[in-house]
Amino acid sequence: MVEKYYAAEGPLASSVFEVSADYFAEGLTYGRAGGVRVDLADGSTEWITGTRYLNGEGARVRAEAIEGVLEVIYLGEVWRTYPAEVWTGWSLLEQLPDPDASGS
């Protein structure tokens, strides 16, 4: 199974770029926008997240399926598009807990 990871490119986030799993995890931990997991028909998975550098406080990465086409969107910008025959499922990802945050 192939897993690919993507993160927002720059603070305006009009696109994403492929990143390492570690960079993705950092974006999901320290970013504020959450992310989306997309399961593909070939058995692979794509993970998309924002980063700590995103503008748009309170905005979330989301996915929307319209007539079978899945779009991953942030602040109206379509980051990734998946034709109906390419994807089999998706789920929203919440921001991970900050391991550096004090528990007291």
Side-chain angles (χ1 to χ4, degrees), residues 5-94:
Y5 299 89
Y6 297 89
E9 188 164 7
L12 300 179
S14 59
S15 63
V16 293
F17 66 107
E18 194 167 352
V19 298
S20 69
D22 290 338
Y23 190 96
F24 172 85
E26 179 181 318
L28 198 56
T29 301
Y30 298 105
R32 299 179 304 266
V36 173
R37 171 189 167 149
V38 180
D39 298 316
L40 302 178
D42 67 3
S44 60
T45 303
E46 293 193 357
W47 306 79
I48 303 106
T49 189
T51 68
R52 70 174 84 200
Y53 308 109
L54 286 178
N55 292 334
E57 185 67 39
R60 306 287 297 164
V61 177
R62 63 185 176 88
E64 192 172 298
I66 302 170
E67 296 183 15
V69 176
L70 182 67
E71 294 181 333
V72 178
I73 303 164
Y74 180 77
L75 288 177
E77 294 286 340
V78 176
W79 282 354
R80 304 275 298 159
T81 301
Y82 302 89
E85 65 277 2
V86 171
W87 66 280
T88 59
W90 65 273
S91 58
L92 291 176
L93 305 172
E94 294 300 319

